[in-house]
Amino acid sequence: MRSQSHAARHARWYGVRLGAAVVSLAGALAPPALAAPPAKGSPEHIRAVTGRIDGAAIRANAKSTADWPSHGLDYAETRFSKLTQINAGNVKDLGLVWSYNLESTRGVEATPLVVDGIMYVTASWSIVHAVDVRSGQRLWTYDPQVKREGGYKGCCDVVNRGVALYQGKVFVAAYDGRLIALDAASGKVAWEQDTIIDRKFSYTITGAPRVYKGKVIIGNGGAEYGVRGYITAYDAASGKQAWRWFTVPGDPAKPFENEAMAKAAKTWDPSAKYWESGGGGTAWDTMSFDPELNLMYIGTGNGSPWARGKRSPAGGDNLYLASIVALNPDTGKYVWHYQETPGDNWDFTSTQPMILADLKIANKPRKVILHAPKNGFFFVIDRKSGQLISAEKFTPEVNWASGYGKDGRPIETPIARVADRPREITPSAYGAHNWHSMSFNPATGLVYLPVQNIPVNLMDNKDWKFNGVRPGEPHSGMGWNLAMFANVEPPQTKPAGRLVAWDPVQQKAAWQHEHVSPWNGGTLSTAGNLVFQGTADGRLVAYNAASGDKLWETPTGTGVVAAPTTYLVDGKQYVSVAVGWGGVYGITARATDKQSPGTVYTFAVGGTAKAPDFVAYKLGNLLQGVKYDPNHYKEGTSLYVSNCVFCHGVPGVDRGGNIPNLGYSAADVISNLDKFVFKGPFMNNGMPDFTGKLTAEEVEKVKAFIQGTADAIRPK
């Protein structure tokens, strides 16, 4: 019995040990308990979802378009969403989900990027906002601290068109020329690069960066001021410069950077020393990328100065102004170009958005670029070779050329290069289409294009000198170098704005809508048979993409210039648009009597949120009672045009945009104008300091023009 008891005890002991071993072994072999996923909108969640964004993710997203991870949605910049939850049948039920205050008063031109409910959007002065789409609440903001008194160094408002996302970083190009990488979860600076080659020139950046193959690509603006254009690539991880490609040649006495620059120099007349005024050609906005061809495409800007006869007296095409240029994204090496406006003489930039598409033309599949630049012609270009396939007027207000010949060159009209007297070239420098985004819907085969006419009359200034202050030449006191006078005679054409649905194969409009004003917003098209566009008179509108029928609209409190985006969050489709009136036209003019701070509006079917209150634009009474010497009026006119007109407009004639019209200022403001123009109180809002630019006596003459003009237009 004792041995049985002893054996039993041993059996029990071994059983316990064996059981413990089995349990231990089972624990070792069992899969670890799954950690709870990070809360949506938490730093861990943001790092995870933005860290996945790279070239493969952008291409994969293009198949579903659930997110909006890059500026034009996809590398082709189609701005076409495949989402159908919001469609022509239920768009009437779209309602506001939330609104977000961007706390800005100047132009908002940004395309919001959204990845799994995390939105990145910029306001004026290049300020970045990260927003949780699920709640509409701020996650973080980043202010690059652009010096406000330097706002005058850009022609067209202190705007920014958005950011780029790549492997957990947000890239923003600041107005003052810095390229900054931010941690996507916190907004903290990861690295910063100064992209400007020479700060004695007025370079700025307003465009959105793009990231191709691990390189952040950015151009710049400033051709109105006299700069040499270029585009630069930086390593996304480190910020180290990878390559730079200049758009126009430099001083021919120095070695050319590459064969492309040597080729370009043959198309410029060196007698005027074009390199001293830079030549222009700034690549300030559009880019796209074809991964299969391994080609990236840029659009280049206008000549500096505008008048070709001054920058290149013997003529010439002046490569690579106003062109589409294909580059190798790995090296920045030139591959091909097509010049849309040879010898640009009218500020006909080719920096307007381009779209890559595959079309059947003459029963053959073609890989093409679709482009509608300022000059009023819609181009279809072979993106493998740069060959022009077709070019047709997309607006009737075109008088500088009758068409394009088989040689791919424009057939200029007799008025095109008249220089010694005023001539109204249409389109004007504002463009028949400007930076406002267009979209392409492959289901309808149509491009949805914001079109406009903003009349301007031009005449060459035969006495122009680089950086000379020339009374009567627009903003020459602010550093502009146009070599032209504007509106010496009143323009004859009428302002116009319209949305055009353009068939790029047939090269004709399928339908169009007239708007009340120029300067309407960019477009978004969707597989739900919809086109969305904001308008200058303060609405966001949805149209039937096939027929053009208006299906829905909502007020936005102020004019819309940016393009909407759409995306999925937790299985639900949203539409967002960043609103803030501005840009070069919106500085001085407007089409609504309401104003509001920059705002992001987000909509979904069934949304019931209350919109923020819209504030009436406060336009004062026409200026009266400022004492002045009528003999100063004529000289005051020239001084005002040289220093003030492109910001404040014509006193009492224009109504003011996002900057007030001085014809409606209080009398004590204009009476004490010197206190506002010399180190004045509005410098933090972007007002220049005119110390050293104007004398006290000249300010008195400007006052005479402001009050004299108000008196002249006052109803008798």
Side-chain angles (χ1 to χ4, degrees):
M1 293 293 294
R2 289 175 61 188
S3 72
Q4 287 179 349
S5 175
H6 183 74
R9 286 198 300 270
H10 276 268
R12 286 195 298 271
W13 184 83
Y14 281 115
V16 170
R17 292 295 301 269
L18 181 61
V22 170
V23 170
S24 177
L25 180 61
L29 296 178
L34 294 176
K40 299 294 180 70
S42 67
E44 295 76 16
H45 167 250
I46 296 172
R47 288 190 181 95
V49 298
T50 61
R52 293 195 295 263
I53 300 301
D54 59 11
I58 291 172
R59 292 193 295 274
N61 184 74
K63 298 175 182 177
S64 66
T65 62
D67 290 324
W68 195 289
S70 61
H71 183 70
L73 176 59
D74 46 38
Y75 280 142
E77 306 254 334
T78 63
R79 295 180 180 264
F80 170 72
S81 171
K82 297 178 180 178
L83 302 180
T84 59
Q85 193 179 107
I86 299 171
N87 54 60
N90 65 7
V91 70
K92 65 183 185 300
D93 300 321
L94 216 55
L96 185 66
V97 178
W98 51 260
S99 59
Y100 174 90
N101 188 347
L102 291 168
E103 301 172 356
S104 60
T105 60
R106 301 288 291 271
V108 175
E109 298 184 354
T111 295
L113 303 191
V114 181
V115 176
D116 195 19
I118 308 302
M119 174 183 288
Y120 299 97
V121 61
T122 56
S124 46
W125 298 109
S126 319
I127 296 173
V128 184
H129 295 253
V131 184
D132 187 337
V133 173
R134 292 173 175 87
S135 65
Q137 297 301 305
R138 177 176 301 180
L139 294 167
W140 53 259
T141 61
Y142 171 75
D143 184 348
Q145 299 293 320
V146 173
K147 292 180 180 179
R148 302 305 195 250
E149 61 268 27
Y152 73 92
K153 292 184 177 182
C155 71
C156 307
D157 206 357
V158 289
V159 296
N160 185 278
R161 295 187 192 91
V163 300
L165 269 175
Y166 192 80
Q167 293 183 345
K169 291 187 178 69
V170 177
F171 302 94
V172 62
Y175 183 77
D176 58 14
R178 291 172 290 146
L179 180 65
I180 304 163
L182 306 173
D183 177 81
S186 66
K188 293 181 179 178
V189 175
W191 55 256
E192 178 179 309
Q193 289 287 356
D194 184 356
T195 74
I196 305 306
I197 58 174
D198 190 339
R199 288 205 165 266
K200 74 172 181 257
F201 295 100
S202 289
Y203 281 103
T204 53
I205 300 179
T206 57
R210 313 298 202 276
V211 183
Y212 304 144
K213 304 182 75 174
K215 296 178 180 64
V216 191
I217 320 277
I218 192 65
N220 48 61
E224 272 66 47
Y225 295 80
V227 302
R228 184 187 183 194
Y230 56 90
I231 191 161
T232 315
Y234 297 87
D235 179 78
S238 67
K240 182 180 179 181
Q241 182 175 319
W243 53 258
R244 172 170 286 152
W245 191 78
F246 286 95
T247 62
V248 295
D251 185 346
K254 301 176 182 178
F256 293 114
E257 290 84 359
N258 48 53
E259 293 179 3
M261 291 300 100
K263 177 181 177 182
K266 296 176 182 178
T267 68
W268 293 72
D269 175 11
S271 68
K273 298 184 178 180
Y274 59 81
W275 55 93
E276 293 183 352
S277 57
T282 47
W284 52 264
D285 194 26
T286 189
M287 284 180 262
S288 59
F289 175 47
D290 186 332
E292 293 181 3
L293 297 177
N294 196 37
L295 290 177
M296 59 168 285
Y297 308 94
I298 65 170
T300 66
N302 55 283
S304 178
W306 286 3
R308 185 184 64 171
K310 288 299 182 180
R311 69 173 184 266
S312 187
D317 287 349
N318 295 173
L319 293 176
Y320 297 93
L321 298 177
S323 299
I324 299 293
V325 182
L327 302 174
N328 181 313
D330 299 311
T331 62
K333 186 176 181 179
Y334 164 92
V335 178
W336 61 253
H337 80 278
Y338 172 69
Q339 191 170 40
E340 294 175 326
T341 309
D344 170 52
N345 196 52
W346 315 274
D347 187 22
F348 282 167
T349 65
S350 288
T351 49
Q352 288 57 54
M354 69 179 88
I355 293 172
L356 310 186
D358 295 344
L359 300 179
K360 184 174 284 188
I361 299 174
N363 293 319
K364 293 182 179 179
R366 302 290 296 268
K367 292 183 177 295
V368 302
I369 296 173
L370 307 177
H371 198 222
K374 276 188 182 182
N375 73 15
F377 286 85
F378 194 100
F379 293 87
V380 181
I381 301 166
D382 186 296
R383 70 175 183 266
K384 292 182 180 179
S385 65
Q387 175 193 4
L388 176 65
I389 297 172
S390 63
E392 294 292 341
K393 297 177 183 178
F394 61 82
T395 177
E397 296 106 351
V398 176
N399 70 2
W400 73 277
S402 59
Y404 277 70
K406 293 181 179 179
D407 58 358
R409 298 180 65 86
I411 304 167
E412 294 184 7
T413 62
I415 194 177
R417 297 192 185 270
V418 170
D420 60 348
R421 61 185 184 276
R423 80 278 190 194
E424 185 174 352
I425 297 297
T426 53
S428 72
Y430 288 96
H433 172 223
N434 207 295
W435 63 268
H436 310 81
S437 307
M438 61 184 188
S439 57
F440 172 65
N441 187 324
T444 63
L446 300 176
V447 173
Y448 302 98
L449 174 64
V451 178
Q452 63 188 18
N453 182 55
I454 302 174
V456 176
N457 190 291
L458 295 174
M459 182 177 74
D460 284 18
N461 178 4
K462 62 183 177 60
D463 297 322
W464 173 84
K465 300 292 183 186
F466 180 56
N467 277 347
V469 178
R470 300 159 297 280
E473 186 174 319
H475 272 219
S476 60
M478 294 287 94
W480 285 44
N481 280 277
L482 306 188
M484 288 186 177
F485 298 109
N487 291 342
V488 174
E489 294 180 356
Q492 299 301 307
T493 62
K494 301 297 182 184
R498 62 185 70 96
L499 170 62
V500 175
W502 189 262
D503 184 332
V505 176
Q506 300 296 322
Q507 283 283 34
K508 64 180 183 180
W511 55 262
Q512 65 183 43
H513 269 283
E514 294 293 327
H515 292 315
V516 300
S517 168
W519 214 248
N520 299 284
T523 70
L524 159 71
S525 59
T526 79
N529 195 30
L530 294 172
V531 177
F532 291 91
Q533 184 191 30
T535 64
D537 61 344
R539 298 172 296 138
L540 179 64
V541 187
Y543 301 93
N544 182 298
S547 67
D549 295 335
K550 187 170 73 172
L551 303 176
W552 170 85
E553 69 173 54
T554 190
T556 56
T558 190
V560 186
V561 291
T565 59
T566 189
Y567 47 87
L568 287 179
V569 178
D570 301 332
K572 186 166 186 172
Q573 185 180 356
Y574 296 84
V575 173
S576 293
V577 64
V579 175
W581 181 245
V584 64
Y585 179 77
I587 289 174
T588 61
R590 57 188 168 85
T592 174
D593 290 325
K594 299 289 192 296
Q595 64 179 5
S596 64
T599 305
V600 178
Y601 294 99
T602 293
F603 304 90
V605 172
T608 58
K610 182 181 180 297
D613 293 332
F614 301 147
V615 179
Y617 189 96
K618 294 180 181 179
L619 186 68
N621 295 321
L622 191 62
L623 181 66
Q624 190 168 0
V626 176
K627 295 181 180 180
Y628 69 95
D629 183 346
N631 294 321
H632 289 163
Y633 182 84
K634 183 176 180 181
E635 190 173 349
T637 302
S638 295
L639 288 166
Y640 186 90
V641 170
S642 298
N643 294 281
C644 315
V645 70
F646 280 172
C647 289
H648 291 287
V650 181
V653 176
D654 297 317
R655 299 193 304 157
N658 64 20
I659 294 179
N661 183 279
L662 299 181
Y664 296 97
S665 295
D668 60 345
V669 171
I670 304 304
S671 295
N672 296 286
L673 191 60
D674 59 323
K675 294 181 174 59
F676 291 88
V677 300
F678 299 134
K679 299 188 186 306
F682 296 127
M683 286 177 62
N684 285 337
N685 295 341
M687 174 83 175
D689 175 18
F690 285 89
T691 302
K693 295 183 172 69
L694 291 174
T695 65
E697 292 76 14
E698 288 173 329
V699 172
E700 288 298 312
K701 294 172 182 178
V702 170
K703 287 165 57 175
F705 171 73
I706 296 170
Q707 182 62 78
T709 301
D711 290 342
I713 66 170
R714 195 183 316 278
K716 300 295 190 271

